[in-house]
């Protein structure tokens, strides 16, 4: 209610947040591209264009070079010359075993490596080239180049070249497209890939003999498929990654001695055809390769961390729900037992209504308080420097037991303390100037104060203007979040907030803490925490209902929640010593403050990353898995909402809007937490944002009165 002259709020953090989220999304997308594109397996897939390729390729040798004039040159291995080739590696398990066999028999090989695997295992790539074998390209993600556009082909080849250049210092010149086999199987689509690769400086190497070891046909079948007939030379295709390659390793150990006995020699593709050695990579290409590797590894770490975080958040959310439901059931049984008792008269009640420019609702608020069925109620309206005639409106009502006090604008806490000073009762009810009570609300609210250990009671605040989508969302939030939480806090004896809209206090407790503090913007939270730390219990009375006017626009909602969140952080910091104290104060600290820190600060601060991960999952994770998670989460929310509404005696109609709440409302809430955290960290003060009243509480009072008549 008070207004402060402050400097302009910092905005640079929003730019930083956008940049961080953009980098995170880029990293996750890179990981998605690396891990999920081309992940179908090592077996053949249907090509984009299944028509046959050129005849000179179909009937030619396995090494294919398209010429600039449109012709094509193919070459075959010399007689009794074997080039053993291995696709899909390097693999940390199987590639070293393949290399061990080759080194034991003093045989070099030609390895067609996947760029992402080279980035993961550059040491194995260096072992390949350092041991006399050669390294060719097998695309970056094992993508089916025949089914992709030219731009993606260029990316795949460029990234693979960079990865190999960074790992080995050489630029690859040989290429084997994934899902290719023998020349006779070349299609028009695959020949287009070969032609584009030739223009990029690659020589395409197919196979004379495809062992199909990826299908694990057995060691004998692999050896048989790798054995040429009639003394012809051959390029033999095997795999050193992509699954269990134990059969390949065993077959290789049998194949090499057998073919040597038949007079075959083993060499690499380049040496067999007397091709020049791979050229040294340019410094710029090696640097690009190193940058690519660290980006890939970083994206993998980010995805792993985010996956673990999502799992942790899910587990915490489920545990929270389980605890909420259990505590709610305990609280419901407790309330039902108390409901059977006759209401007690506990002495005069003084209702304090701080008001600043509340002309839209103040008369309905005061009327609802005077119409209470509690025997003895005085109402004290403290006008805190209103400029809209709030005090005059109350005076014109000419109601008994209603007192109007005017003061210079000093803020809501000061207005409440002024009301306490002028009040007569030992029970104080504090009410916002836009709130309408039910006739039995005061009586229900004060009943727990019959217990001498109880110092304060929280009532049940309901949204009056719930007609629009924004109103429905706030109504659901009040019923699901605030009220379920308050039942849990009551059972756990760590209620952090008695809302300003409806709360009852024992005068003795108010005196114990020195009145309502002016040190934070969330004076209700600060006040409640102080009462608990003074040794008093704070409980929840769900049947004490108050109707309040919620913000009717996103701008007003932002301002209200920003003030709430910022003030709550102030109160948490102010009462941080409760974490290390004993008794009721320690319970508040280790239960209430810890809960607020985890679920109202830490998790909301990380929520933008959750949304980024959701976008990543929508594009790169299995659709069925994503749909199952979303449907399960939504069903859980709907079930919780239905349970909470049923407890509060509310209709289930608004539940349909709950899934939509995740699109706008949730983002607004976590952005509020981010803004509040930044402002708290830089030590800035928040100006008081007053909400424009529309008279929704007054309209609800009229509707309720008409219904009762």
């Amino acid at each position: 209610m008070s207004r402060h002259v402050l400097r302009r709020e910092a905005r640079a953090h929003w730019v930083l947040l956008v940049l961080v989220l953009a980098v995170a999304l880029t990293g996750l997308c890179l990981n998605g591209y690396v891990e999920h594109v081309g992940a179908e397996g090592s077996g053949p897939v249907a090509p984009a264009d299944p028509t046959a390729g050129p005849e000179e390729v179909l009937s030619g040798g396995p090494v294919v070079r398209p010429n600039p004039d449109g012709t094509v040159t193919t070459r075959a291995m010399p007689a009794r010359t074997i080039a053993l080739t291995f696709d899909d590696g390097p693999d940390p398990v199987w590639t070293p075993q393949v290399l061990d066999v080759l080194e034991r028999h003093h045989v070099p090989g030609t390895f067609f490596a996947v760029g992402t695997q080279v980035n993961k295992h550059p040491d194995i790539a260096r072992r390949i080239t350092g041991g006399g074998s050669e390294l060719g390209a097998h695309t970056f993600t094992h993508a089916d180049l025949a089914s992709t556009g030219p731009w993606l082909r260029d990316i795949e080849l460029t990234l693979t070249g960079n990865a190999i250049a960074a790992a080995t210092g050489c630029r690859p010149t040989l290429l084997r497209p994934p899902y290719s086999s023998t020349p006779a199987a070349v299609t028009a689509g695959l020949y287009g890939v070969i032609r584009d690769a030739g223009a990029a400086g690659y020589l395409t190497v197919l196979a004379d003999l495809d062992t199909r070891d990826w299908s694990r046909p057995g060691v004998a079948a692999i050896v048989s498929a790798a054995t040429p007939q009639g003394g012809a030379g051959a390029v033999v295709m095997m795999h050193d990654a992509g699954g269990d390659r134990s059969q390949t390793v065993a077959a290789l150990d049998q194949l090499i001695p057998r073919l040597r006995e038949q007079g075959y020699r083993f060499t690499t593709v380049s040496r067999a055809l007397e091709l020049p050695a791979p050229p040294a990579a340019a410094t710029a290409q090696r640097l690009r390769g190193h940058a690519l590797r660290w980006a890939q590894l970083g994206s993998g770490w980010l995805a792993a961390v985010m996956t673990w975080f999502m799992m942790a958040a899910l587990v915490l959310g489920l545990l929270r729900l389980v605890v909420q439901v259990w505590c709610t059931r305990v609280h419901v049984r407790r309330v039902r037992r108390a409901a059977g008792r006759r209401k007690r008269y506990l002495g005069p009640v003084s209702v304090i209504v701080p008001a600043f420019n509340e002309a839209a609702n103040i008369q309905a608020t005061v009327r609802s308080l005077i119409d209470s069925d509690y025997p003895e109620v005085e109402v004290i309206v403290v006008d805190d420097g209103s400029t809209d005639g709030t005090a005059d409106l109350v005076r014109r009502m000419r109601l008994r037991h209603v007192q109007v006090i005017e003061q210079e604008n000093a803020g809501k806490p000061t207005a409440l303390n002024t009301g306490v000073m002028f009040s007569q009762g030992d029970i104080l009810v504090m009410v916002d100037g836009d709130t309408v009570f039910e006739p039995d609300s005061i009586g229900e609210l004060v009943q727990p104060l019959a217990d001498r250990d109880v110092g304060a009671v929280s009532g049940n605040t309901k949204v009056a203007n719930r007609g629009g989508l924004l109103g429905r969302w706030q109504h659901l939030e009040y019923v699901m979040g605030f009220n379920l939480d308050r039942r849990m806090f009551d059972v756990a004896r760590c209620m952090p907030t008695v809302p300003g809209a409806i709360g009852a206090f024992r005068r003795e407790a108010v005196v114990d803490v020195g009145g309502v503090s002016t040190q934070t913007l969330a004076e209700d939270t600060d006040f409640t925490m102080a009462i608990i730390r003074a040794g008093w219990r704070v409980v929840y009375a769900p049947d004490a209902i108050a109707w309040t006017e919620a913000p009717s626009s996103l701008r007003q909602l932002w301002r209200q929640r920003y003030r709430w969140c910022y003030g709550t952080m102030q109160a948490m910091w102010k009462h941080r010593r409760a974490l290390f104290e004993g008794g009721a104060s320690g319970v508040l600290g280790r239960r209430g403050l810890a809960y607020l820190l985890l679920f109202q600060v830490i998790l909301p601060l990380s929520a933008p990353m959750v949304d980024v991960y959701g976008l990543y999952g929508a594009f790169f994770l299995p659709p069925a898995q994503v749909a199952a998670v979303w449907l399960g989460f939504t069903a859980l929310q709907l079930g919780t909402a239905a349970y909470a509404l049923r407890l509060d005696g509310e209709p289930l109609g608004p539940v349909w809007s709950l899934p939509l709440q995740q699109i706008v409302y949730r983002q607004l809430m976590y952005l509020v937490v981010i803004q509040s955290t930044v402002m708290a960290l830089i030590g800035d003060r928040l100006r008081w944002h007053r909400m424009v009243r529309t008279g929704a509480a007054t309209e609800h009072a009229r509707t309720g009165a008409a219904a009762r008549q």
Side-chain angles (χ1 to χ4, degrees):
M1 293 162 73
S2 60
R3 287 162 283 187
H4 308 282
V5 178
L6 300 171
R7 65 180 182 268
R8 185 178 181 84
E9 293 173 355
R11 298 184 184 276
H13 58 282
W14 295 123
V15 177
L16 180 61
L17 175 63
V18 171
L19 289 176
V20 169
L21 294 182
V23 170
L25 182 58
T26 301
L28 288 173
C29 287
L30 174 60
N31 181 74
Y33 179 72
V34 165
E35 298 296 336
H36 301 285
V37 173
E40 303 94 328
S42 298
V45 297
D49 184 353
T51 59
E55 178 59 33
E56 56 265 46
V57 175
L58 298 176
S59 59
V63 182
V64 184
R65 183 193 300 276
N67 299 315
D69 60 2
T71 61
V72 61
T73 300
T74 66
R75 297 183 65 182
M77 293 293 102
R80 294 193 178 277
T81 300
I82 300 295
L84 296 174
T85 64
F86 304 90
D87 293 2
D88 298 349
D91 181 274
V93 175
W94 302 112
T95 303
Q97 293 188 39
V98 169
L99 289 170
D100 289 343
V101 174
L102 295 180
E103 290 169 3
R104 187 164 59 249
H105 293 285
H106 306 289
V107 170
T110 300
F111 291 78
F112 292 98
V114 176
T116 57
Q117 292 298 105
V118 172
N119 280 338
K120 292 179 181 178
H121 313 291
D123 53 328
I124 300 179
R126 286 189 288 271
R127 180 184 172 186
I128 290 172
T129 57
S133 296
E134 65 181 347
L135 201 61
H138 198 50
T139 73
F140 190 67
T141 63
H142 202 272
D144 180 13
L145 297 182
S147 300
T148 62
W151 66 275
L152 187 54
R153 295 177 191 173
D154 290 342
I155 291 175
E156 286 280 330
L157 296 180
T158 299
L159 295 182
T160 308
N162 292 342
I164 293 175
T168 67
C170 295
R171 178 170 59 84
T173 56
L174 302 181
L175 168 72
R176 174 171 287 161
Y179 311 112
S180 62
S181 182
T182 63
V186 172
T187 63
L190 180 56
Y191 181 69
V193 173
I194 295 172
R195 187 178 60 248
D196 291 346
Y202 284 95
L203 187 67
T204 299
V205 180
L206 303 175
D208 293 299
L209 302 175
D210 183 357
T211 63
R212 298 178 65 84
D213 59 337
W214 53 267
S215 64
R216 293 180 53 79
V219 174
I222 295 173
V223 171
S224 176
T227 302
Q229 302 298 318
V235 175
V236 178
M237 179 189 291
M238 293 181 171
H239 295 80
D240 63 321
D244 184 349
R245 295 292 173 249
S246 56
Q247 291 185 2
T248 301
V249 173
L252 192 61
D253 213 9
Q254 296 180 22
L255 176 68
I256 294 173
R258 177 180 298 184
L259 291 182
R260 272 190 171 152
E261 290 176 359
Q262 298 177 18
Y264 284 91
R265 73 183 182 97
F266 295 89
T267 187
T268 64
V269 172
S270 295
R271 292 178 194 144
L273 300 180
E274 299 181 346
L275 300 174
T283 301
Q285 186 179 27
R286 292 200 302 271
L287 291 176
R288 289 195 297 270
H290 286 300
L292 173 64
R293 176 171 182 262
W294 285 111
Q296 177 185 325
L297 295 179
S299 70
W301 295 333
L302 175 63
V305 169
M306 286 300 301
T307 300
W308 280 105
F309 173 79
M310 291 288 289
M311 293 176 62
L314 180 61
V315 170
L316 284 173
L318 290 174
L319 285 175
R320 176 192 185 187
L321 180 60
V322 169
V323 172
Q324 278 184 328
V325 171
W326 181 82
C327 289
T328 296
R329 293 176 67 86
V330 171
H331 191 266
V332 167
R333 288 195 295 268
R334 183 186 300 170
V335 170
R336 284 175 179 168
R337 286 196 299 268
R341 306 171 193 154
R342 184 177 179 181
K343 288 184 184 179
R344 296 174 57 184
Y345 171 72
L346 301 176
V349 172
S350 297
V351 182
I352 303 167
V353 186
F356 174 72
N357 288 349
E358 295 288 358
N361 293 304
I362 191 63
Q363 289 184 318
T365 297
V366 173
R367 177 66 66 183
S368 71
L369 297 171
I370 290 299
D371 289 343
S372 171
D373 60 11
Y374 191 79
E376 192 172 350
V377 174
E378 70 164 342
V379 178
I380 302 171
V381 177
V382 182
D383 188 302
D384 189 44
S386 297
T387 59
D388 65 349
T390 296
D392 292 337
L393 287 172
V394 178
R395 287 194 185 96
R396 283 200 291 267
M397 296 175 73
R398 300 182 181 279
L399 296 173
R400 293 181 59 196
H401 308 300
V402 175
Q403 181 181 177
V404 178
I405 301 170
E406 294 186 78
Q407 66 178 29
E408 293 294 326
N409 180 255
K412 183 179 178 181
T414 302
L416 287 169
N417 289 329
T418 299
V420 171
M421 184 172 60
F422 282 91
S423 63
Q424 302 296 318
D426 288 331
I427 297 177
L428 307 174
V429 173
M430 298 182 183
V431 183
D432 285 341
D434 64 336
T435 304
V436 172
F437 274 33
E438 296 286 343
D440 63 347
S441 294
I442 294 178
E444 293 286 354
L445 185 66
V446 302
Q447 290 306 304
L449 292 172
D451 184 344
R452 294 297 304 173
D453 292 334
V454 175
V457 184
S458 167
N460 185 353
T461 310
K462 291 181 177 290
V463 175
N465 51 330
R466 59 178 71 170
L469 191 59
L470 185 60
R472 287 190 180 92
W473 287 341
Q474 292 178 84
H475 165 50
L476 289 172
E477 182 186 25
Y478 273 61
V479 174
M480 289 177 61
F482 298 162
N483 288 339
L484 287 182
D485 274 350
R486 287 193 179 108
R487 293 176 190 270
M488 178 183 67
F489 289 140
D490 187 346
V491 173
R493 298 199 171 202
C494 60
M495 182 85 65
T497 305
V498 172
I502 176 170
F505 302 87
R506 192 183 301 278
R507 180 182 289 274
E508 186 180 349
V510 175
V511 172
D512 275 355
V513 300
V516 182
S517 172
T518 61
Q519 295 176 338
T520 69
L521 284 174
E523 74 288 329
D524 47 3
T525 300
D526 186 2
F527 187 37
T528 307
M529 290 182 178
I531 288 174
I532 293 179
R533 294 186 69 191
W536 296 95
R537 278 186 60 203
V538 179
V539 300
Y540 175 55
D543 293 330
I545 295 173
W547 298 88
T548 189
E549 180 175 342
S552 56
S553 69
L554 289 177
R555 180 179 179 84
Q556 291 183 10
L557 180 63
W558 169 274
R559 289 181 169 182
Q560 181 198 64
R561 298 311 172 85
Y562 184 13
R563 178 176 61 82
W564 286 4
C565 184
Y566 186 89
T568 298
M569 289 181 181
Q570 288 179 311
M572 291 169 62
W573 180 253
K574 177 181 176 181
H575 296 282
R576 63 191 182 278
R577 295 186 184 278
L579 289 165
F580 311 103
E581 295 174 345
S585 182
V587 171
L588 170 68
R590 290 181 287 277
R591 295 180 187 174
L593 293 186
Y595 180 90
L596 293 178
L597 179 64
L598 180 60
F599 289 104
Q600 294 192 21
V601 179
I602 294 177
L603 289 182
L605 284 176
S606 60
M609 292 297 291
V610 173
D611 284 354
V612 167
Y613 190 85
L615 288 174
Y616 158 75
F619 285 100
F620 292 104
L621 297 181
Q625 175 183 328
V626 174
V629 171
W630 186 85
L631 289 173
F633 176 75
T634 302
L636 193 62
Q637 277 198 317
L638 293 174
T640 304
Y643 176 63
L645 289 168
R646 177 175 170 271
L647 281 179
D648 248 25
E650 296 280 359
L652 300 180
V655 169
W656 68 266
S657 66
L658 191 59
L660 300 177
Q661 196 181 49
Q662 304 302 312
I663 300 173
V664 176
Y665 195 83
R666 175 177 164 275
Q667 284 73 17
L668 183 69
M669 293 300 101
Y670 71 58
L671 290 177
V672 163
V673 177
I674 292 171
Q675 175 75 357
S676 301
T677 303
V678 170
M679 298 301 286
L681 290 175
I682 66 177
D684 207 347
R685 290 187 66 199
L686 174 65
R687 63 173 57 86
W688 185 279
H689 296 303
R690 182 186 172 275
M691 192 175 81
V692 177
R693 304 299 185 190
T694 63
T698 299
E699 183 61 31
H700 177 81
R702 291 172 182 165
T703 304
R708 286 192 292 270
Q709 292 176 357

